[in-house]
Amino acid sequence: MTKTIVRSFSNEAIDEAAAIIRAGGLVAFPTETVYGLGANALDPQAARKIYAAKGRPSDNPLIVHVATEEDAERCAELTETARDLINNFWPGPLTVVARSRDVVPNDTRGGLNTVALRMPDDERALALIARSSVPIAAPSANRSGRPSPTTASAVLEDLDGAVDMIIDGGATIRGVESTVVDTTTGSAVILRNGALAAEDIERVVKLSEIEACDVRRSPGTRYRHYAPQVPLIAWDRAETSAPVIDPAKRSVFIGLGEPPSDLRSPISLYIFNDVENYARGLFSAMRSAEHEGDLIVAELPDISGIGAALRDRIIRAAGAK
Ligand code: TXA
Ligand code: MG
């Protein structure tokens, strides 16, 4: 157990955090998507600490966060597809999977010959990477399998004593993780839907569907994810059949409008006026709901835009593969 220091963002806090990263320690920091659990991406021992702190399987690789395109070039061989995406969407919620160079240790890339790279659109994250002078490997800063953290207190809830320092930057803007795109072949393949919509990616590069045999290229999709401590039912408003809910359960509704009619008296409601706000609030609503009730009903939004990522998170939180 280490003592976890929580600091608001300031130049001094970033200096202190960068010193921890350089010494091989762990720092949680805000990005525009969710909080990341960072360590020196080029130090295998530091990378191993991330897996241990999260309880993460060692074959589920980490995203390497960079502050410049040159940093990315040093870590991976970028194809034309990768460059087109980077030029259009960095800094931003896009993670590019590319063929790794030897400088990135095996532990960081979970034994794969590819590496995932992202330049976050958050000045605090970029300052930390630049001040550390190394790329920072960072998965979401939650215990493995839990909803991703969108606030410093959610990080503390999961990782108090397991991380050296947390930079508190308030609630994150986007609320769901980056979109992960494989760029190692001629066309781009979305491995994980995220905050950057497929429709936007498609305007820049040709997108191919992920094939069943390619699921191995996206190790994270094999594991259960985003699960709150109480059962969650995914509800599609477009379906005529209402979810079957035990009336004795104290239920919490999260969604975009009125709860289903037979959810007679939810003890708590989290209702968002559009899908962007829903994305921003979903994970923190799940974390609050698990303290309030014994069942969560979460509405599945329409599949367009960021809705695809939200549907994926809700279906996984419900326990479906
Ligand atoms: O927005 C985000 O992406 C956040 C912030 C902190 O940047 N990070 C994040 O990391 O969500 P994580 O570890 O929770 O999810 C990374 C995903 C996993 O599904 C992992 O399997 C996949 O990216 N991934 C990482 N490296 C990969 C690689 N070389 N090939 C295929 N998938 C990879
Ligand atoms: Mg994660």
Side-chain angles (χ1 to χ4, degrees):
M1 276 297 258
T2 42
K3 170 107 182 65
T4 299
I5 309 164
V6 183
R7 289 256 189 287
S8 332
F9 173 72
S10 68
N11 286 338
E12 296 70 44
I14 291 292
D15 282 342
E16 211 177 319
I20 293 171
I21 296 283
R22 280 196 301 270
L26 299 180
V27 175
F29 60 96
T31 77
E32 80 280 34
T33 57
V34 301
Y35 276 71
L37 175 61
N40 179 353
L42 306 184
D43 174 352
Q45 253 178 307
R48 284 200 292 274
K49 282 190 194 166
I50 294 180
Y51 293 95
K54 276 185 69 99
R56 181 179 179 111
S58 61
D59 64 350
N60 189 6
L62 311 174
I63 296 177
V64 173
H65 294 66
V66 296
T68 65
E69 203 177 322
E70 292 71 54
D71 290 346
E73 300 268 7
R74 272 194 281 278
C75 293
E77 294 166 30
L78 302 178
T79 58
E80 203 176 321
T81 308
R83 277 176 219 286
D84 286 347
L85 287 170
I86 286 171
N87 289 337
N88 278 277
F89 300 116
W90 275 11
L94 164 77
T95 294
V96 161
V97 171
R99 187 161 293 275
S100 184
R101 296 191 198 277
D102 292 341
V103 64
V104 183
N106 248 309
D107 293 284
T108 299
R109 43 189 158 102
L112 298 179
N113 57 11
T114 54
V115 60
L117 296 164
R118 155 162 141 79
M119 189 193 291
D121 186 13
D122 184 301
E123 58 172 332
R124 299 155 303 188
L126 293 172
L128 176 61
I129 302 163
R131 214 73 69 89
S132 303
S133 314
V134 286
I136 295 185
S140 49
N142 50 279
R143 290 276 309 164
S144 195
R146 298 266 301 137
S148 295
T150 54
T151 60
S153 59
V155 177
L156 207 53
E157 186 173 62
D158 279 17
L159 296 175
D160 192 9
V163 50
D164 297 299
M165 183 170 169
I166 302 174
I167 308 272
D168 185 349
T172 58
I173 308 272
R174 307 301 290 267
V176 290
E177 304 86 343
S178 62
T179 306
V180 180
V181 182
D182 188 311
T183 62
T184 54
T185 58
S187 56
V189 178
I190 294 184
L191 301 178
R192 176 181 74 181
N193 282 302
L196 179 65
E199 294 90 328
D200 292 329
I201 295 176
E202 224 159 7
R203 275 193 275 277
V204 173
V205 296
K206 184 178 171 314
L207 257 189
S208 302
E209 284 299 310
I210 187 163
E211 310 215 348
C213 64
D214 281 343
V215 169
R216 71 189 143 72
R217 286 204 272 163
S218 179
T221 55
R222 285 200 301 268
Y223 300 105
R224 182 147 191 242
H225 266 117
Y226 316 112
Q229 279 154 4
V230 297
L232 181 145
I233 294 175
W235 176 58
D236 195 336
R237 190 177 294 278
E239 298 278 326
T240 41
S241 60
V244 181
I245 295 157
D246 176 353
K249 295 262 189 247
R250 291 172 309 140
S251 51
V252 176
F253 176 72
I254 308 175
L256 284 162
E258 287 295 302
S261 53
D262 56 343
L263 191 65
R264 266 181 226 98
S265 46
I267 58 149
S268 191
L269 292 164
Y270 294 86
I271 295 178
F272 301 95
N273 59 358
D274 64 34
V275 74
E276 275 76 29
N277 282 316
Y278 192 8
R280 216 166 278 150
L282 174 67
F283 286 138
S284 104
M286 280 185 189
R287 281 177 180 267
S288 305
E290 66 188 11
H291 299 299
E292 294 165 348
D294 33 40
L295 176 75
I296 301 171
V297 176
E299 178 175 354
L300 291 166
D302 184 83
I303 192 112
S304 64
I306 202 168
L310 285 191
R311 288 184 75 96
D312 167 79
R313 305 307 185 265
I314 293 166
I315 288 167
R316 283 168 188 277
K321 280 280 169 185

